[in-house]
Amino acid sequence: MPIIGIDLGTTNSLAAYFTEDGPVIIPNSFGEHLTPSIVSVGEDGEIYTGKIAAERRLTCPEMTASVFKRSMGTKKEYKLGDKSFLPEELSSFIIKKLKEDAEIFLGEPIEEAVISCPAYFSDAQRRATKTAGELAGLRVERIVSEPTAAAIAYGLHESDGNSKYLIFDLGGGTFDVSILDYADNIMEVRAVAGDNYLGGEDFNEVLIGMFLRTHDISPEGLTLRQAAALYKAAETAKLEFSKSKEVVMQCTLEDETYAMPVSLSEYEKNCELVLARLKVPVVRAMSDASVRLADVNAVVLVGGATKLPLVRNFVGKLFGMLPAQGINPDEAVALGAAIQAAMKERNAYIKELLLTDVCPYTLGTSVSVLRSNGLYQSGSFLPIIERNTVIPASKVERLYTLRDNQTVVDVEILQGENRKARDNIFLGQISISMPPAPAGNEAVDVRYTYDINGILEVEVTTVSTGLMKKIIIEKNPGVVSEDEIKKRFEDLSSLKIHPRDRDEYRYLLEKGERLYQEHTGALRQRIAEALADFDAALDGQDRGAIDEAALVLREFYEVVEAYNE
Ligand code: ADP
Ligand code: MG
């Protein structure tokens, strides 16, 4: 029974498995590699995912959720009709779909997965990712960082000698830069930096902004549906730039079709601010790893947004070299996750490779410091595990009592890079007791252990008595207990998931719905008639007749779409 690798992306998700010829992407029910990370609830309460949900985002935006990966690890609730979901629950629907597609494709049940997440994800976000997998009915013992997975997929570990790589991963909504060091069969992540709010979407926003300004349309007046239509128009135009230097962005709003011709250079100029933001994490990762430009042996582009010619140009100029080629940037992470899965299974076809990773942020506690006036001032941040420390890592700090006869020490667990304790993120607290004694005579040892999956364990021991208390951060926002996962798993299992064997038909109906809403007049009438014919075929329940009607409908859509252009 293979362990599959899953790239749970902000925009697209995909799964892969390992074969004797290497990792292979698992196609979904449409025979496609990418499944949009979108979830929609139907009028009858049925759950739709992927491409079907993507159509519904345009026709029923209030029933559809996307980009929820950005909220992973938070309690943000997505209200879809009368139901409400957390980010990890929405993600679980996507994973469930990938699992089912894999089971059909491989012809056997899948029980375990290795799931990737951005290197910059915090502890709470990693845990939510694991929960999402469990809610989908999978065992998830390993979470891997996306850039590490990508580096493995590119086979960077197959080169000889000592090398340094920079992985530049620009997806739909997250940006990660990682510096990897490969030597003696050990792949080490030396530094990671990133921006959880930067991705291909920002390049859509630029086009939307240009479009609204050109036509003097106020963004406030737009309905959800119009905003969705604009987004789709921008996405289509953006993809065109891979093929052409002159593109026309076109969108119908309130029965009027607006068009905007844009040249690549004009677009590039408007993207200057977004492009400038790409530099920040690159500089920080290189400085944290003490790596200079000249030391970088290869730059690897990962993520669909790196297909944008202006991003490629920008990277080429920044590094003065052409990026590595060969693997589809959309697929590298999933392929790498599948290789990781094979390593976990100790697959005979794979060479053992040691991986190391780093803790992406500083973990510490709050202490009092002695001021020059002889008084103590509380609230300083004491780093215990510094950012970009190789993990697994375990570090101890000894803290002494401040007051005579102090019987309790409160250890705050904090995450962040700020000098003042209160400006960092509070993860939890341990209070421990000790025998009364003069100030400074009693002490506690505070041990932070950060494991390979990015999970933090804190242990506090009173030195004189040996009393020990330990927590694995449970108070994080978005972190749920085993019992709660079990209960939620059952709740989610009672929801009706759209049956896979009807995906194609449903997709045609939802797409027809969208085309109907997008057009007016005679064409709209023709679409309604075509849909009615298809409905009739579906009602007839004769598979052969339905497939024939589906073929006719697909051809008809092609005509409608050609008419659009
Ligand atoms: P994620 O990791 O966030 O799921 P992906 O790696 O799938 O994202 O990348 C999705 C992003 O890539 C989207 O913003 C999409 O518009 C963009 N993208 C995909 N193909 C192209 C292309 N040919 N040109 C420009 N952008 C592209
Ligand atoms: Mg990605």
Side-chain angles (χ1 to χ4, degrees):
M1 200 182 301
I3 307 177
I4 56 170
I6 292 179
D7 171 3
L8 185 62
T10 311
T11 324
N12 296 300
S13 296
L14 57 166
Y17 76 113
F18 196 81
T19 71
E20 45 189 285
D21 300 321
V24 174
I25 299 286
I26 298 169
N28 62 22
S29 49
F30 298 97
E32 293 167 0
H33 287 185
L34 304 184
T35 295
S37 305
I38 304 177
V39 175
S40 186
V41 178
E43 288 64 35
D44 51 358
E46 207 159 63
I47 307 285
Y48 299 105
T49 50
K51 209 164 124 171
I52 300 175
E55 288 296 337
R56 293 178 55 84
R57 179 169 61 173
L58 294 139
T59 52
C60 323
E62 63 291 336
M63 300 294 277
T64 308
S66 58
V67 205
F68 36 84
K69 180 170 169 180
R70 275 190 175 167
S71 305
M72 279 295 247
T74 73
K75 289 267 186 230
K76 174 166 174 175
E77 297 221 357
Y78 290 78
K79 272 198 82 59
L80 305 182
D82 60 356
K83 296 194 174 66
S84 149
F85 299 103
L86 290 170
E88 65 266 33
E89 293 176 322
L90 294 171
S91 303
S92 81
F93 294 128
I94 302 293
I95 298 175
K96 225 180 226 177
K97 179 75 174 147
L98 297 176
K99 174 179 184 273
E100 196 190 358
D101 286 335
E103 287 173 338
I104 300 285
F105 184 71
L106 298 171
E108 55 185 320
I110 303 293
E111 289 175 357
E112 184 172 351
V114 170
I115 307 181
S116 61
C117 76
Y120 210 62
F121 254 21
S122 71
D123 186 50
Q125 291 166 307
R126 281 166 197 259
R127 281 165 177 273
T129 303
K130 189 171 185 301
T131 303
E134 287 164 356
L135 290 175
L138 286 170
R139 204 163 52 243
V140 184
E141 287 172 359
R142 194 170 292 176
I143 297 285
V144 303
S145 287
E146 289 164 9
T148 307
I152 295 170
Y154 270 89
L156 294 185
H157 57 291
E158 275 158 24
S159 72
D160 306 322
N162 200 335
S163 306
K164 287 185 172 47
Y165 309 106
L166 187 135
I167 315 290
F168 186 104
D169 180 352
L170 189 64
T174 49
F175 177 44
D176 283 299
V177 178
S178 309
I179 311 257
L180 304 184
D181 205 337
Y182 179 71
D184 304 326
N185 203 34
I186 298 179
M187 180 74 87
E188 182 183 349
V189 181
R190 286 281 305 279
V192 296
D195 190 333
N196 281 342
Y197 290 89
L198 183 57
E201 302 208 342
D202 295 277
F203 293 89
N204 293 14
E205 293 301 329
V206 168
L207 278 172
I208 292 172
M210 291 169 73
F211 192 86
L212 294 177
R213 280 194 302 278
T214 303
H215 296 293
D216 208 12
I217 302 169
S218 145
E220 283 84 41
L222 295 173
T223 62
L224 267 181
R225 203 170 282 177
Q226 289 172 330
L230 257 179
Y231 186 89
K232 185 165 178 6
E235 173 79 16
T236 310
K238 182 180 75 173
L239 299 188
E240 277 292 301
F241 278 112
S242 295
K243 290 176 261 163
S244 159
K245 288 193 160 132
E246 299 283 338
V247 167
V248 179
M249 173 170 162
Q250 197 167 307
C251 188
T252 306
L253 302 170
E254 304 225 24
D255 296 350
E256 193 174 333
T257 302
Y258 298 86
M260 173 184 72
V262 205
S263 70
L264 182 59
S265 60
E266 222 178 314
Y267 184 34
E268 191 158 13
K269 206 150 167 254
N270 279 272
C271 288
E272 256 170 20
L273 283 178
V274 180
L275 289 170
R277 287 175 62 199
L278 291 172
K279 240 190 212 164
V280 181
V282 172
V283 170
R284 189 170 123 180
M286 302 224 323
S287 123
D288 277 3
S290 309
V291 166
R292 291 166 309 152
L293 267 180
D295 300 333
V296 175
N297 299 89
V299 175
V300 175
L301 298 184
V302 180
T306 63
K307 292 184 186 173
L308 255 182
L310 46 96
V311 171
R312 287 185 172 260
N313 286 346
F314 179 81
V315 175
K317 272 190 220 144
L318 191 63
F319 294 99
M321 71 172 97
L322 284 176
Q325 303 265 1
I327 295 188
N328 188 343
D330 297 336
E331 299 177 355
V333 172
L335 295 171
I339 299 176
Q340 291 255 298
M343 286 176 182
K344 184 171 184 290
E345 286 182 304
R346 303 195 174 280
N347 187 302
Y349 293 99
I350 199 147
K351 193 172 80 184
E352 192 69 44
L353 169 73
L354 294 174
L355 292 176
T356 66
D357 214 330
V358 292
C359 170
Y361 31 69
T362 301
L363 295 161
T365 188
S366 151
V367 290
S368 296
V369 289
L370 188 59
R371 299 285 301 272
S372 51
N373 60 8
L375 297 176
Y376 282 97
Q377 186 178 346
S378 63
S380 283
F381 182 56
L382 172 74
I384 296 182
I385 295 182
E386 300 245 36
R387 74 161 187 261
N388 288 324
T389 299
V390 172
I391 56 173
S394 193
K395 298 245 166 83
V396 191
E397 281 286 339
R398 182 162 288 188
L399 306 177
Y400 293 88
T401 51
L402 274 182
R403 295 185 305 276
D404 288 340
N405 298 325
Q406 182 175 343
T407 53
V408 175
V409 168
D410 296 317
V411 177
E412 281 187 339
I413 302 153
L414 303 169
Q415 168 191 318
E417 312 302 327
N418 300 293
R419 187 172 59 87
K420 289 188 181 149
R422 64 157 193 268
D423 295 335
N424 293 305
I425 299 168
F426 177 81
L427 298 178
Q429 178 162 344
I430 299 183
S431 299
I432 198 160
S433 58
M434 62 211 35
N441 279 19
E442 280 290 332
V444 291
D445 278 341
V446 179
R447 176 178 288 280
Y448 279 31
T449 306
Y450 194 83
D451 78 6
I452 189 82
N453 292 315
I455 287 164
L456 173 68
E457 186 183 282
V458 176
E459 215 179 80
V460 180
T461 313
T462 299
V463 179
S464 65
T465 62
L467 176 68
M468 194 264 276
K469 279 194 179 173
K470 178 160 87 174
I471 54 173
I472 295 167
I473 304 304
E474 299 268 38
K475 273 201 207 133
N476 273 349
V479 172
V480 287
S481 68
E482 289 285 317
D483 286 351
E484 206 180 323
I485 291 177
K486 212 179 270 166
K487 182 174 174 307
R488 282 211 257 151
F489 177 77
E490 276 152 24
D491 288 351
L492 293 181
S493 300
S494 67
L495 293 175
K496 206 160 90 209
I497 307 270
H498 180 73
R500 181 186 192 275
D501 61 352
R502 300 184 69 87
D503 273 356
E504 181 65 30
Y505 306 150
R506 187 78 231 172
Y507 170 66
L508 288 172
L509 286 173
E510 299 290 350
K511 181 169 177 171
E513 208 62 51
R514 165 172 64 85
L515 291 172
Y516 179 85
Q517 292 189 10
E518 279 176 6
H519 293 90
T520 52
L523 184 56
R524 171 177 232 179
Q525 207 43 50
R526 291 272 323 273
I527 296 169
E529 284 159 18
L531 280 172
D533 286 348
F534 189 57
D535 272 337
L538 286 176
D539 286 343
Q541 296 191 12
D542 169 41
R543 190 89 195 202
I546 297 174
D547 283 340
E548 207 162 295
L551 197 69
V552 172
L553 193 58
R554 263 195 299 272
E555 279 170 3
F556 173 66
Y557 288 165
E558 271 172 33
V559 175
V560 174
E561 279 168 335
Y563 172 87
N564 248 357
E565 282 162 7

